[in-house]
Amino acid sequence: MLALTNGKVYTIANGIIEQGTILVKDGKIAAVGKSVEIPADAQVVDLGGQVVMPGMVDPSTRLGIHEEGLGASGYDENEATAKSTPHLRVIDAIKPTDIAIREAMTAGVTTVAVTPGNANVIGGQISVLKTYGDYVDQMVIKETAGLSVNLSEAPQRARGDAAAIFLEELQKAKNYLDTRKPDDDKLDYDLKLRVMVEVLEGRLPVFMQGVKSHDILNAIELADEWGFKLIIERGLEAHLVVDEIKQSGAPLIIGSIMGNRRGDTRTTSHRTPGITAVAGILTALSTQHPATPAEHTLVQAALARREGMTEDDTLAALTLAPAKILGMGDRLGSIEVGKDADLVVMSGHPLSVFTKVQKVYVDGQLAFDREGGVC
């Protein structure tokens, strides 16, 4: 059992607790508050007034499949030989020893979604993992969190062609659902069809990359027509279609807002997250690593805060909002009883560039200590 005492606790869900205590048991948060009874056998860590917040969640990265520093032989995010690969799973390509995973963890990012690249229209299945562990099986906490679809920038394909490819796969799944018989075993061997059926049945969300405003509107229209669960990813022009996004009810992953302005990203604005959050849209921030290295998550968030995002919305966009979008809001993203003990101890305010991450706990285990390094 572990007790972190005398900390400034940013719970995210229930405000800030001064001189608070967090009790951890079996990898979960057992208690949090100002007056927590600490068992005699607990390991007590006095934080000395330092800040502690939930481990951050990045809902869209290429960590582990775009290996840092290796070059082309470590780029496993794209299957460029096919236009549609819904059956591919990133979990089968993740390298747990990618140095960028460790760097993300030591910066306080304890959970990431790993998504396929942009080389084809349907890239494959997204996985969620913790950033601490020796093997993928130890790290993965959700093998399939959604299906990655890209109608914005599929190379050498016009937007209309990309949409047609996606619609063709949806239509195949609909035809199957309309005509299947009770003893039909087609889904046992047609892996592509199985995934698209899960999309139409609402069991598998679609993470649809919508960079430009008309990409976002196309995504909303397709979701409305076909009835699948939509998550808008990237959303760099979301500030231009706020009303439409809010009316659709789709959550929004924005990022990276630190990239160069060129091509489809020339309208990138640090103000976009604040505009969408204040409108009531569930908004999460993402680095889209390696577009922006995941270790700079807090730097990107500070820019969003500077340009109008409220402090509460900014911190939520790093923690509870992405956890909810990934379908794990009951487990991650805030310091509440019963949730995973993913905790980040900091020297100062989370959004200050002068703040250093001092300790990181993942599932209650000390994963990083600035004095001792990665554990």
Side-chain angles (χ1 to χ4, degrees):
M1 190 170 290
L2 171 71
L4 303 180
T5 66
N6 192 24
K8 186 173 183 178
V9 182
Y10 283 70
T11 67
I12 305 301
N14 299 299
I16 299 172
I17 303 172
E18 300 283 355
Q19 296 180 320
T21 294
I22 304 168
L23 190 63
V24 176
K25 182 179 180 181
D26 298 328
K28 300 288 184 180
I29 297 169
V32 58
K34 288 184 69 69
S35 301
V36 173
E37 184 176 346
I38 301 174
D41 61 345
Q43 175 192 356
V44 179
V45 178
D46 188 339
L47 300 181
Q50 294 183 113
V51 166
V52 58
M53 67 176 287
M56 289 175 282
V57 180
D58 193 325
S60 181
T61 77
R62 309 289 188 270
L63 284 164
I65 58 172
H66 185 104
E67 190 177 351
E68 194 83 1
L70 186 61
S73 63
Y75 298 166
D76 287 320
E77 68 265 43
N78 286 315
E79 180 49 65
T81 61
K83 62 185 179 181
S84 174
T85 56
H87 57 308
L88 295 189
R89 310 186 310 161
V90 294
I91 191 176
D92 297 320
I94 295 170
K95 184 175 182 181
T97 56
D98 180 1
I99 190 173
I101 296 177
R102 185 190 68 183
E103 290 174 343
M105 184 270 289
T106 60
V109 180
T110 56
T111 303
V112 295
V114 181
T115 66
N118 303 327
N120 47 14
V121 177
I122 303 179
Q125 299 165 49
I126 298 163
S127 294
V128 182
L129 64 149
K130 297 288 182 78
T131 53
Y132 182 62
D134 296 321
Y135 307 100
V136 171
D137 287 349
Q138 292 176 333
M139 300 162 70
V140 168
I141 54 175
K142 197 169 191 177
E143 289 191 7
T144 305
L147 181 68
S148 179
V149 177
N150 175 28
L151 302 186
S152 298
E153 301 172 301
Q156 300 178 354
R157 295 191 183 280
R159 280 174 164 83
D161 184 39
I165 291 168
F166 180 50
L167 288 171
E168 183 179 14
E169 298 292 349
L170 288 173
Q171 189 62 55
K172 289 177 183 177
K174 184 177 185 301
N175 291 344
Y176 169 79
L177 288 172
D178 288 345
T179 60
R180 69 175 171 180
K181 296 179 174 59
D183 59 348
D184 194 334
D185 63 353
K186 189 174 183 181
L187 294 187
D188 292 339
Y189 60 85
D190 193 332
L191 300 182
K192 289 185 178 181
L193 180 62
R194 179 193 300 173
V195 172
M196 299 310 297
V197 165
E198 290 181 1
V199 166
L200 286 186
E201 290 182 336
R203 293 184 285 127
L204 191 64
V206 173
F207 287 62
M208 191 171 291
Q209 296 194 35
V211 178
K212 308 294 286 183
S213 59
H214 62 299
D215 296 328
I216 296 171
L217 293 178
N218 286 343
I220 292 171
E221 183 178 354
L222 286 168
D224 183 61
E225 178 182 354
W226 288 85
F228 58 78
K229 293 170 64 176
L230 172 65
I231 295 167
I232 300 168
E233 191 180 349
R234 298 186 70 183
L236 298 182
E237 282 192 352
H239 56 285
L240 302 179
V241 285
V242 170
D243 291 341
E244 290 82 357
I245 297 173
K246 185 175 182 180
Q247 184 176 358
S248 75
L252 178 63
I253 298 171
I254 297 180
S256 163
I257 62 171
M258 290 176 65
N260 293 330
R261 286 190 174 91
R262 65 177 185 270
D264 274 355
T265 63
R266 66 185 182 275
T267 52
T268 299
S269 173
H270 298 157
R271 298 180 180 180
T272 303
I275 293 171
T276 59
V278 77
I281 297 167
L282 182 60
T283 301
L285 287 168
S286 171
T287 60
Q288 293 282 323
H289 178 97
T292 294
E295 62 182 303
H296 299 321
T297 294
L298 285 172
V299 177
Q300 177 174 254
L303 292 173
R305 172 72 181 99
R306 185 191 71 186
E307 297 301 320
M309 201 174 199
T310 69
E311 180 174 307
D312 287 347
D313 285 341
T314 305
L315 294 176
L318 297 172
T319 53
L320 190 54
K324 289 179 177 179
I325 289 172
L326 295 173
M328 307 195 75
D330 61 339
R331 179 173 176 180
L332 307 170
S334 61
I335 299 178
E336 297 181 87
V337 173
K339 289 195 171 184
D340 290 5
D342 297 343
L343 305 165
V344 182
V345 179
M346 299 177 167
S347 62
H349 193 284
L351 300 178
S352 169
V353 295
F354 298 104
T355 292
K356 295 180 180 179
V357 172
Q358 303 287 57
K359 298 178 187 292
V360 177
Y361 294 87
V362 179
D363 294 324
Q365 296 186 38
L366 182 63
F368 171 73
D369 186 334
R370 179 165 292 277
E371 294 183 359
V374 177
C375 299

